[in-house]
Each structure stands twice: as structure tokens, then as C-alpha cells.
Amino acid sequence: MTSVLVTAAIPQSALEILKAAKLDVEMYTGSGLITKDDLLKRIVGKDYLITPLSTKVDRDVIDADPQLKIIANYGAGFNNIDAAYAREKGIPVTNTPGASTVSTAEVTTGLIITLAHRMVEGDKLMRTKGFDGWAPLFFLGHELAGKTLGIVGLGDIGQAVAKRMKAFDMSIIYTQRHQLDAATEAKLGAKFVSLDDLVAQSDVISLHCPLNDATHHLLGAAEYRQMKSSAYLINAARGPVIDEAALLTALQDGEIAGAALDVYEAEPHVDDGFKQLDNVILTPHVGNATVEARDAMAAIVAKNVVLVDQQQAPKFVVN
């Protein structure tokens, strides 16, 4: 019987799809993430691999299993996998695009609103010393209406964020490698600008670009200095898209007003400096952490494995 290694617990719906196809499934259910040593032992003799984006699949892992026929990544990103080397070995690498769009857009929207209105700060205050009562100048935040939202990467998630924040009467500007068609821009009310102009003009910058050589540290010390001192930065894309150390310095020096991070440069590590700042929201990579999104992702990876087992081409091949 052909076998599947699943390197983290995933929804039962995926296991049912795999078992219905009469595949032997081994799923890692240990505490914490699977270690490389454990992965190297378990991968031997497996035909298919399903792995979350938190598990690194490098040359060592790929070479440990010569009969591997697919690496189905449970996530929209795939920078955890040496996809180029897998291609050399004739192994397709797939991801789960689209499934995360609604959830990540909703989380991003929530972070923008929460940061601007200082809700996390307010919750902390009420759980500690409390307040003396309503006062005209007490605990002021900012309305989003009439402000400018700059989106870096207007793909599916970026567009979903634009749609939601347009309803808050924000002006939308965006930047990416290629400008969108005029009809899409008109529908979203979005204007294409350069990265420099976006950084300088935005009251809120939200990142939704993939991580690659061109976007690594796309925003760093120079960009933070160009931002408005009243601006906020939201990162629900990939941690290394920003220079995190430079961001911490910019926040400590008051160069920008605040930040909300759902992803981190050395994930899961978070610099303790961010934890000391009241104008920073930190969430544990929950952009697509909904039952609906994770079920949709589970269906994609399981069905892709079944397609390969049936000698058909899988969907969403990234290499």
C-alpha cells in the first residue's frame, strides 16, 4: 500500500479523503513541531508528503526518500521547501492558494481597526489599573475614514483587504511589480504608485506580497524614516519582508506610530523589545487560523496527493 507522511496534525476531513483513496497515512502528533531528525526517519519509504509551512523540507529531507512523488505544502507560502531542488528530482511541490484569502483579509482588517483605535491598549488598561471615567482628551485613537491605506501586493488577499477597507472610506493606493488592469483598479478604487510614494503617502501600510529575493527586507530603516510619524505598519504576509530589527528601532524612536505583526522574521521567536511597546499588536500567525480556511486547505493537499496517486497532475504546482 502506498503511504503518506503528514508532519503535523491536520483536519480529519483530509485524512478521510486519503483513507477513502486507500492510502496508508502516518501523521505526526507529537508535542511541538516535528524535528528534522524525526522527519528524516519518518520520510524513508513514503510515497507522498503533506507538510505545514512551519516544517523545513530541504535537500536532506528530499534525498532521504528517493520514492517521494509529491510535496503538498499546507499553506499558501512555500519558502519552507527547497522547491527548485524538488523540481530537479521531478517532485512537484504544491500549495493552497485562495483558501486563506477571506480569513487573512479579515484578520488584517481587524488589526488595522484595533491598532488605530488602541483597543489592545484599552483592554490592558481595564485589566490592570482601570480608568477614572470618560474625558474629552482621554485615550484618543484615530478614525480610518479619509485616511490612506497603502497595500504592498494587490493579489487576492490584498484585493480582499482593499474591498473591506474601502467600505471604511479609506483611500486605497498600492504597489507591486505590475499594475493591475483599469477595470480592477476602478472596482477597488485603488491607485497604482511607486513604493517610495506609497511609503510617504500612507497612513496605514499593509503587506500582502510573497517572500522572495526581491521582497526580502522590502521595508527597512530608510522606508521607516520616509513614513509619516502618525502611520501604522501591518504585516500579515511573511516576516522577512520587513527588516524587523530596524522596525523595532523605528518604533522605539517614535518614527512611526505603531505596528501590528502576525508573522515574524525568525518565527516563532519574537524580539522582547516589541513586547514592551504598547503601540504594537503581536498575534501568533493566525492569518488563516479559521475552521473554514484550514478545512479548505486540508481538502486541497489531500486531493492533490490522491491525484498523484491516480497518476494525474496535481493542482497549484509552484515549481
Side-chain angles (χ1 to χ4, degrees):
M1 181 181 289
T2 49
S3 57
V4 187
L5 174 62
V6 185
T7 63
I10 60 176
Q12 183 64 31
S13 57
L15 304 181
E16 292 172 356
I17 292 171
L18 296 171
K19 291 177 180 178
K22 302 188 183 306
L23 297 174
D24 182 37
V25 180
E26 177 185 339
M27 184 169 71
Y28 174 77
T29 57
S31 60
L33 302 178
I34 190 170
T35 65
K36 183 173 181 178
D37 285 344
D38 199 2
L39 176 56
L40 287 170
K41 293 175 184 176
R42 291 172 181 259
I43 192 69
V44 176
K46 298 299 189 295
D47 299 281
Y48 315 116
L49 175 63
I50 293 176
T51 186
L53 54 83
S54 54
T55 298
K56 187 174 182 179
V57 181
D58 57 15
R59 289 181 175 228
D60 294 339
V61 175
I62 294 170
D63 285 340
D65 187 17
Q67 68 190 61
L68 192 60
K69 300 178 182 68
I70 184 175
I71 302 170
N73 210 42
Y74 192 101
F78 53 92
N79 52 292
N80 58 308
I81 298 171
D82 192 334
Y85 187 64
R87 183 177 64 240
E88 291 178 19
K89 295 290 186 176
I91 304 169
V93 174
T94 63
N95 68 341
T96 58
S100 303
T101 298
V102 171
S103 180
T104 305
E106 290 180 352
V107 166
T108 301
T109 299
L111 289 174
I112 293 171
I113 298 167
T114 301
L115 192 58
H117 287 272
R118 303 175 65 188
M119 292 181 182
V120 171
E121 288 183 72
D123 180 80
K124 180 180 178 181
L125 177 70
M126 295 306 296
R127 292 175 186 273
T128 52
K129 66 180 181 179
F131 75 126
D132 296 329
W134 187 93
L137 300 180
F138 174 68
F139 220 80
L140 302 182
H142 290 280
E143 295 180 0
L144 295 168
K147 304 297 194 304
T148 297
L149 171 63
I151 299 178
V152 180
L154 205 61
D156 290 344
I157 296 174
Q159 290 185 32
V161 171
K163 175 183 175 182
R164 286 158 175 76
M165 300 318 298
K166 181 183 177 184
F168 280 75
D169 295 324
M170 295 194 79
S171 298
I172 310 295
I173 59 177
Y174 76 99
T175 193
Q176 58 185 18
R177 183 175 298 180
H178 302 294
Q179 184 173 356
L180 295 173
D181 61 89
T184 302
E185 288 186 337
K187 180 178 68 174
L188 297 171
K191 178 183 177 183
F192 182 73
V193 297
S194 68
L195 178 62
D196 285 343
D197 285 344
L198 182 140
V199 167
Q201 296 174 21
S202 297
D203 297 294
V204 179
I205 296 176
S206 190
L207 303 173
H208 300 287
C209 55
L211 174 62
N212 52 45
D213 290 343
T215 61
H216 183 268
H217 282 192
L218 186 66
L219 297 187
E223 286 74 27
Y224 304 141
R225 285 193 293 269
Q226 294 173 38
M227 289 173 64
K228 297 178 180 180
S229 60
S230 58
Y232 301 113
L233 176 64
I234 316 293
N235 188 11
R238 289 290 178 266
V241 169
I242 66 173
D243 183 334
E244 205 171 84
L247 174 63
L248 179 56
T249 298
L251 288 163
Q252 291 170 332
D253 293 347
E255 290 181 353
I256 64 175
L261 306 177
D262 186 48
V263 291
Y264 306 92
E265 191 163 1
E267 193 167 312
H269 171 74
V270 182
D271 192 303
D272 286 340
F274 289 110
K275 301 175 186 179
Q276 309 306 317
L277 299 176
D278 288 334
N279 59 338
V280 175
I281 298 174
L282 304 171
T283 51
H285 202 152
V286 294
N288 61 18
T290 60
V291 171
E292 295 82 0
R294 298 290 169 85
D295 279 347
M297 294 163 69
I300 291 172
V301 294
K303 289 177 180 178
N304 268 338
V305 165
V306 173
L307 284 172
V308 172
D309 189 61
Q310 296 174 346
Q311 299 183 347
Q312 299 182 53
K315 297 180 180 179
F316 313 121
V317 176
V318 298
N319 65 337

